[in-house]
């Protein structure tokens, strides 16, 4: 959709970059407020409102592709998606507590699957000859249909916390947020810099560089699909420790001067290592006792999402000052830090029972 809107609105690359930034800023603005919104109005109500808003806003960007509306509609879409992101994780923590077994990795696996399905489905519809407007209307319609059929099964309560607004992360929540930031930064680096890294460092053909992110994303999805069972067997602390080390080794392997396509093995290890760290950390944020769960999850998501926004730029600055290989080495060191945050934050071995 981005190339279509760019063409229709006659946007320059610079203007498009600013517009995409407003999308992220809208999400960042919503995330700190999501916990208090869920506490005040109930989790289900916020999910329904934010999902409906997103379903209505998305097609409008195609039907009204003017710079004026895009500067309004994109931040609003980001706000709706950011609110939905945090509230869904609050809902997931509540469901997991009631089940008394790990479920968060499976929830995040479906997030990954949704990314594949969305991109692949849109491409299929466009290849079949449908217009961009029809494709976005189809996506919005499917979202609304899914919402109608599932909303009544969602938990209506708002989780733990109050409606007093955003609270700064503190204690173990701050450490959890920093760990999430590093993992999200790693994911952003794989998406935005992985192809260029393979091209510059390993002289991979441009047509083949996309296999790096494909390997990373596929391994992450598979790891999350199996994650809940693995968490039950190994425990949350081992998942964070082993995951951080595995991802760091993957980055190191990708940096070695290996013949093509062996560097792709590094991307696979990064995906497997990162797969279950964030789900386990979100569970830890919901289970700690220093902050109310709603506020903790909102704070952790906000800090973590900052890694997605600023991470690619930070990688670029380091690459400019030194080299892209050095930038990836910094990612490996940061992932080692994540590996040892698990025991520090006291990640619980299983979900807390409901009171």
């Amino acid at each position: 959709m981005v190339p279509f809107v760019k063409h229709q609105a006659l946007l320059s690359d610079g203007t498009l970059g600013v517009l995409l930034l407003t999308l992220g800023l809208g999400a960042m603005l919503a995330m700190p407020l999501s916990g208090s919104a869920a506490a005040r109005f109930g989790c289900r109500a916020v999910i329904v409102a934010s999902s409906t808003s997103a379903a209505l806003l998305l097609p409008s960007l195609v039907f009204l592709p003017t710079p004026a509306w895009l500067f309004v509609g994109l931040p609003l879409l980001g706000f709706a998606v950011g609110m939905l992101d945090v509230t869904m994780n609050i809902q997931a923590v509540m469901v997991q507590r009631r089940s008394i077994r790990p479920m968060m990795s499976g929830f995040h696996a479906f997030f990954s699957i949704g990314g594949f399905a969305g991109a692949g489905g849109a491409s299929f519809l466009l290849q079949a000859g449908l217009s961009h407007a029809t494709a976005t209307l189809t996506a919005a319609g499917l979202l609304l249909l899914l919402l109608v059929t599932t909303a009544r099964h969602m938990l209506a309560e708002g989780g733990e916390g109050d409606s007093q607004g955003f609270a700064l992360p503190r204690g173990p929540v701050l450490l959890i947020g920093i760990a999430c930031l590093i993992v999200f930064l790693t994911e952003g680096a794989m998406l935005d810099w992985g192809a260029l890294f393979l091209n510059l460092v390993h002289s991979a053909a441009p047509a083949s560089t996309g296999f790096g992110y494909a390997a990373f994303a596929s391994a992450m999805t598979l790891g999350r699909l199996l994650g809940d069972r693995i968490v039950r067997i190994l425990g949350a602390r081992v998942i964070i420790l082993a995951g951080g080390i595995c991802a760091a080794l993957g980055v190191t392997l990708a940096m070695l001067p290996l013949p093509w396509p062996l560097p792709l093995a590094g991307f696979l290890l990064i995906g497997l290592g990162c797969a279950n760290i964030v789900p386990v950390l979100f569970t830890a944020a919901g289970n700690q006792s220093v902050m109310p769960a709603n506020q903790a999850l909102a704070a952790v998501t906000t800090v973590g999402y900052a890694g997605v926004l600023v991470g690619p730029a930070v990688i670029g600055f380091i690459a400019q000052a030194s080299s892209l290989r050095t930038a990836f080495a910094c990612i490996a060191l940061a992932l080692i830090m994540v590996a040892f945050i698990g025991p520090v934050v006291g990640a619980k071995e299983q979900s807390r029972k409901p009171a």
Side-chain angles (χ1 to χ4, degrees):
M1 189 181 78
V2 173
F4 172 80
V5 173
K6 181 178 185 294
H7 175 74
Q8 291 295 108
L10 303 176
L11 301 174
S12 66
D13 290 341
T15 303
L16 177 62
V18 173
L19 280 168
L20 293 176
L21 180 62
T22 66
L23 178 70
L25 292 176
M28 287 288 291
L29 178 62
M31 287 176 176
L33 306 175
S34 302
S36 58
R40 174 174 296 182
F41 302 109
C43 207
R44 179 168 59 195
V46 176
I47 291 176
V48 169
S50 55
S51 298
T52 303
S53 299
L56 296 176
L57 285 165
L58 180 62
S60 75
L61 302 176
V62 175
F63 281 98
L64 295 171
T66 64
W69 172 243
L70 291 173
F71 272 106
V72 175
L74 274 172
L76 290 176
L77 178 61
F79 190 94
V81 172
M83 186 74 67
L84 178 62
D85 192 324
V86 175
T87 315
M88 283 193 302
N89 278 295
I90 294 172
Q91 177 85 186
V93 167
M94 292 192 298
V95 171
Q96 182 173 248
R97 283 181 185 169
R98 294 194 177 193
S99 70
I100 320 298
R101 62 189 177 91
M103 299 179 71
M104 189 68 79
S105 290
F107 293 142
H108 282 240
F110 277 95
F111 174 84
S112 301
I113 293 171
F116 283 116
S123 297
F124 175 79
L125 293 176
L126 295 175
Q127 287 289 335
L130 275 68
S131 67
H132 286 78
T134 303
T136 52
L137 282 174
T138 301
L142 288 173
L143 174 57
L144 291 174
L145 178 62
L146 183 64
L147 188 63
V148 168
T149 56
T150 60
R152 66 180 182 274
H153 301 294
M154 297 177 188
L155 300 178
E157 58 265 33
E160 295 179 2
D162 53 41
S163 56
Q164 299 304 311
F166 179 65
L168 292 173
R170 59 184 183 272
V173 178
L174 179 58
L175 289 176
I176 292 169
I178 293 172
C180 285
L181 183 148
I182 293 171
V183 176
F184 281 132
L185 185 152
T186 303
E187 293 182 27
M190 295 303 104
L191 175 61
D192 295 320
W193 289 99
L196 185 61
F197 176 86
L198 291 173
N199 177 251
L200 295 179
V201 175
H202 295 285
S203 301
S208 301
T209 54
F211 288 123
Y213 184 73
F216 166 80
S218 299
M220 173 170 280
T221 303
L222 178 62
R224 286 178 170 175
L225 285 172
L226 302 174
D228 293 327
R229 179 176 298 179
I230 298 173
V231 171
R232 283 198 297 270
I233 296 172
L234 299 179
R237 294 177 183 175
V238 174
I239 290 295
I240 299 174
L241 178 63
I245 293 174
C246 177
L249 288 175
V251 176
T252 303
L253 180 61
M255 292 190 299
L256 295 177
L258 301 173
W260 183 262
L262 292 181
L264 295 180
F267 282 72
L268 285 170
L269 287 177
I270 298 170
L272 286 174
C274 290
N276 294 298
I277 295 178
V278 167
V280 165
L281 288 173
F282 275 23
T283 298
N287 288 344
Q288 51 73 45
S289 57
V290 174
M291 295 177 63
N294 281 19
Q295 292 181 345
L297 283 165
V300 165
T301 306
T302 303
V303 174
Y305 194 73
V308 177
L309 283 182
V310 306
V314 171
I315 298 300
F317 290 142
I318 297 175
Q320 178 69 29
S322 181
S323 69
L324 194 53
R325 192 189 294 269
T326 301
F328 270 58
C330 292
I331 294 175
L333 290 175
L335 287 167
I336 292 294
M337 290 174 53
V338 171
F340 293 98
I341 282 180
V344 175
V345 301
K348 296 190 176 182
E349 295 295 326
Q350 53 184 322
S351 301
R352 190 174 65 191
K353 295 182 180 181

